[in-house]
Amino acid sequence: MPTTTWNRHHVLSLADFKSAEYDTVLQTAASFQEVLSRRTKKVPTLQGQVVANLFFEPSTRTRSSFELAAKRLSADTLNFAAATSSMTKGETILDTAKTYLAMGTDIMVVRHKEAGVPNAIAAEMDRLGVKVSVLNAGDGQHEHPSQALLDLFTICSLIDPNHPRLELLQGKKIAIVGDILHSRVARSNIWSFIASGAQVHLAAPPTLLPKLFAEYIFEESELRSQNSEFTTQEFITSSSPSSPPTPQLFLHWQLEPALQDADFVMTLRLQKERMTAHLLPSLREYHQLFGITSTKLQLCKPHVKVLHPGPVNRGVEISSELMDDPEFSLIQSQVTSGVAVRMALLYLLGSGKA
């Protein structure tokens, strides 16, 4: 295990993550990846601790991944389901969290359709003065830290399986394509990829551009016209105050500029359940303009890899053929990486509670 000290009590967002923290998670996950390759895949690291999965929103990959990760660490698990809970009788979210606290929970993994719920539970635990850690497993359109960290781990492990680290993505071009407006995954990924020094290119129809980031993006008005693509950039201040800032974040209303010479392409699901208006003419037109196919990947670097956080709408955001192509697709690797990364997060949050 890495010897770096971990002082973070909760994992709610990647906005304030430091480079050393990213590397600690990556290296710890690499250690657990090795554990998962053994015949005996269980370690006693969190034996006697209780991990409560408080999922107020449906989930397959994230919930199963966290549950398996906790069991691989020998922790006891409690699984909450909103449909069969006392919330149907009027119990509040904070009362539910305090019920699990009274059962001896050490770590709460929280997923909710509304942004800010994990933060509210963490604040309540801190107010009560208890040593319970809260891990955000996805909240509304805010963030999904563990998904972004497993995406980061998947990419870095591909480049250097023995020593995955943040600096490996320095200067790489990463395209994120799809429903960025509603995507908590995209928001967390932007923080992690920018922290690595990568160039991040977002591509989506105008109706699905992330307005949340408008205040951080320098708008080049001379590039905006009726007949040309609207391009914006975010400038991250470089280490030297006298040098010009380096552009790292780019927005595109067309797919081709984002894919040009890209090293990695992440495509996102159209989150129709979060769309409150008719934002697209049709799924067929979306696939024609923004769907990722083998033909469109020819714009990228020859060894480009494709990611998708799942669940996947085959034939919409990505062609079924490309999704199953082991030469390009890292989608199954993301699922596998999820257990190791979530083991790492639970270990780092729980190791100080013994």
Side-chain angles (χ1 to χ4, degrees), residues 118-136:
N119 297 64
I121 293 176
E124 181 66 8
M125 295 300 111
D126 292 344
R127 186 188 71 80
L128 293 172
V130 295
K131 295 181 179 180
V132 174
S133 294
V134 177
L135 206 162
N136 182 2

Side-chain angles (χ1 to χ4, degrees), residues 87-164:
M87 290 189 69
T88 60
K89 303 174 183 179
E91 184 174 83
T92 68
I93 291 173
L94 291 183
D95 284 340
T96 298
K98 284 186 276 192
T99 298
Y100 280 89
L101 169 64
M103 294 180 186
T105 296
D106 298 283
I107 301 174
M108 295 182 184
V109 181
V110 182
R111 184 183 183 100
H112 200 280
K113 66 180 180 179
E114 298 295 337
V117 170
N119 297 64
I121 293 176
E124 181 66 8
M125 295 300 111
D126 292 344
R127 186 188 71 80
L128 293 172
V130 295
K131 295 181 179 180
V132 174
S133 294
V134 177
L135 206 162
N136 182 2
D139 62 328
Q141 295 173 209
H142 176 223
E143 281 206 48
H144 196 343
S146 66
Q147 179 66 48
L149 290 168
L150 77 86
D151 294 338
L152 187 68
F153 178 72
T154 301
I155 294 174
C156 292
S157 296
L158 178 71
I159 300 172
D160 187 346
N162 297 320
H163 188 201

Side-chain angles (χ1 to χ4, degrees), residues 122-303:
E124 181 66 8
M125 295 300 111
D126 292 344
R127 186 188 71 80
L128 293 172
V130 295
K131 295 181 179 180
V132 174
S133 294
V134 177
L135 206 162
N136 182 2
D139 62 328
Q141 295 173 209
H142 176 223
E143 281 206 48
H144 196 343
S146 66
Q147 179 66 48
L149 290 168
L150 77 86
D151 294 338
L152 187 68
F153 178 72
T154 301
I155 294 174
C156 292
S157 296
L158 178 71
I159 300 172
D160 187 346
N162 297 320
H163 188 201
R165 57 200 185 277
L166 198 63
E167 66 180 24
L168 294 172
L169 295 188
Q170 178 76 40
K172 299 289 186 183
K173 180 176 179 179
I174 302 174
I176 302 178
V177 181
D179 188 0
I180 297 162
L181 176 63
H182 301 97
S183 177
R184 51 195 172 201
V185 175
R187 285 163 172 77
S188 291
N189 271 310
I190 288 170
W191 291 121
S192 63
F193 291 152
I194 285 179
S196 73
Q199 285 196 349
V200 184
H201 290 250
L202 310 181
T207 51
L208 297 179
L209 282 174
K211 295 180 181 178
L212 175 65
F213 291 92
E215 62 186 279
Y216 301 112
I217 296 169
F218 175 78
E219 182 173 314
E220 291 187 303
S221 57
E222 68 270 16
L223 295 177
R224 195 208 304 219
S225 71
Q226 282 190 326
N227 300 318
S228 66
E229 177 192 13
F230 172 46
T231 304
T232 59
Q233 300 182 85
E234 177 174 326
F235 290 98
I236 308 300
T237 305
S238 62
S239 57
S240 172
S242 61
S243 62
T246 304
Q248 281 188 262
L249 183 64
F250 304 83
L251 271 65
H252 307 280
W253 281 2
Q254 296 174 359
L255 180 62
E256 289 73 17
L259 294 187
Q260 190 68 48
D261 295 325
D263 297 283
F264 297 94
V265 177
M266 175 177 291
T267 179
L268 303 171
R269 179 176 67 89
L270 289 176
Q271 301 191 37
K272 291 173 284 186
E273 72 277 9
R274 294 197 180 104
M275 294 183 184
T276 57
H278 190 68
L279 302 178
L280 296 168
S282 69
L283 296 181
R284 170 184 279 187
E285 181 174 332
Y286 176 85
H287 181 69
Q288 289 176 344
L289 295 176
F290 290 92
I292 304 300
T293 63
S294 300
T295 301
K296 291 175 183 174
L297 283 189
Q298 293 176 9
L299 292 168
C300 305
K301 295 272 182 71
H303 301 294

